[in-house]
């Protein structure tokens, strides 16, 4: 596959590409080889033009009257999203959420390979959780530096998040996936993506209320 120039994909497109990927994988498992834009549009309740545009961004063109080859679309999306080169990551904070992420094997297929975790709790340090070693937090920065780890996953409680993020940055980590419910201050060129489970749930509840309002 030829290298395409690096570009910033608009976030809504990025999110839709992940959803298309999941759906196309399911169609493939059911033995389908090709899919038309019209079928995708119907399945996703989206405009066919929107889907065509999203796929164009991923460098995918369909064949008129035939549609898209599912294997080619899946491969292009994976390449575009960087899922073909798996990135090693460290995780800090092995509580309930951190441990769940350590055990989520699908991540490896989506480009994230958590190779070690870090915590303050002596009962967790020195153990393995879902096969991943847990080290003392004091080891995180030096190990990240030595192993040239660039991605950090933050699942510590909110009050500890900034301090732990600073330690990640001191260890050369350049991208932080923040699950702690707090905003982080980071210098350029560090990138942060915060995942707020609470906001996501609030969106769901709001939709539920909206639906109930419509039907009453
Ligand atoms: P648990 O039931 O294991 O306590 P939890 O998800 O309820 O899980 P939290 O209080 O959210 O626990 O803490 C998540 C994890 O972060 C815990 O394992 C805790 O030991 C760890 N932790 C707390 N402070 C820090 C810190 N400064 N650095 C690293 N890990 C920390």
């Amino acid at each position: 596959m030829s290298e395409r120039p690096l570009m910033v994909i608009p976030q809504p497109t990025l999110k839709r590409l992940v959803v298309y990927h999941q759906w196309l994988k399911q169609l493939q498992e059911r033995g389908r080889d090709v899919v038309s834009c019209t079928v995708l549009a119907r399945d996703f309740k989206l405009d066919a033009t929107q889907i065509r545009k999203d796929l164009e961004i991923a460098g995918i063109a369909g064949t008129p009257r035939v549609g898209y080859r599912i294997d080619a679309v899946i491969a292009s999306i994976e390449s575009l999203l960087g899922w073909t080169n798996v990135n090693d990551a460290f995780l800090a904070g092995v509580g309930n959420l951190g441990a769940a992420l350590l055990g989520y094997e699908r991540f490896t297929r989506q480009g994230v390979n958590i190779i070690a975790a870090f915590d303050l709790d002596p009962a967790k340090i020195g153990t393995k959780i879902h096969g991943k070693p847990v080290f003392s937090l004091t080891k995180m920065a030096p190990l990240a530096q030595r192993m040239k780890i660039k991605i950090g996953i933050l699942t510590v409680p909110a009050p500890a998040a900034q301090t732990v993020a600073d330690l990640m940055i001191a260890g050369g980590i350049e991208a932080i996936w923040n699950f702690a419910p707090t905003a982080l201050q980071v210098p350029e060129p560090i990138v942060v993506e915060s995942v707020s489970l609470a906001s996501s749930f609030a969106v769901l509840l709001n939709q539920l209320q909206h639906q109930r309002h419509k039907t009453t």
Side-chain angles (χ1 to χ4, degrees):
M1 196 177 297
S2 65
E3 285 279 313
R4 272 176 301 109
L6 201 61
M7 58 172 175
V8 176
I9 310 164
Q11 275 195 23
T13 304
L14 203 61
K15 287 182 180 170
R16 283 193 298 268
L17 286 172
V18 174
V19 178
Y20 301 157
H21 180 273
Q22 284 166 347
W23 182 235
L24 290 171
K25 279 286 217 191
Q26 287 181 32
L27 287 184
Q28 198 179 42
E29 275 157 25
R30 286 187 228 149
R32 289 278 293 273
D33 292 326
V34 288
V35 68
S36 73
C37 215
T38 327
V39 169
L40 283 177
R42 187 201 61 205
D43 290 349
F44 292 112
K45 297 189 179 61
L46 283 173
D47 188 45
T49 322
Q50 176 75 73
I51 295 181
R52 214 168 286 127
K53 228 161 98 185
D54 289 339
L55 295 178
E56 251 170 49
I57 290 179
I60 303 156
T63 314
R65 284 183 298 279
V66 176
Y68 295 91
R69 281 199 57 84
I70 293 180
D71 55 356
V73 179
I74 289 175
S76 297
I77 294 178
E78 287 178 355
S79 152
L80 185 81
L81 300 181
W83 292 356
T84 41
N85 5 344
V86 173
N87 295 284
D88 289 340
F90 277 179
L91 178 142
V94 197
N96 290 307
L97 182 59
L101 295 180
L102 287 181
Y104 188 54
E105 285 172 14
R106 191 171 268 272
F107 272 161
T108 340
R109 279 185 268 151
Q110 295 169 345
V112 195
N113 180 32
I114 306 175
I115 53 171
F118 300 84
D119 208 287
L120 284 182
D121 184 350
K124 292 176 183 168
I125 295 168
T127 64
K128 278 193 172 183
I129 296 182
H130 295 298
K132 315 279 164 118
V134 182
F135 299 112
S136 158
L137 190 73
T138 53
K139 301 243 169 71
M140 184 175 67
L143 261 184
Q145 219 147 32
R146 188 160 6 120
M147 299 178 74
K148 300 195 176 7
I149 302 294
K150 298 298 169 206
I151 297 175
I153 302 174
L154 202 53
T155 44
V156 295
Q162 185 65 55
T163 315
V164 179
D166 292 345
L167 281 176
M168 286 181 169
I169 296 164
I173 280 176
E174 293 170 356
I176 300 177
W177 200 12
N178 174 35
F179 287 83
T182 186
L184 297 177
Q185 306 292 328
V186 297
E188 281 266 357
I190 308 299
V191 289
V192 175
E193 171 65 16
S194 291
V195 179
S196 170
L197 297 176
S199 336
S200 180
F201 189 63
V203 171
L204 179 72
L205 272 189
N206 185 258
Q207 284 172 333
L208 177 66
Q209 279 159 0
H210 187 70
Q211 282 297 343
R212 280 183 179 158
H213 183 73
K214 269 201 321 202
T215 52
T216 51

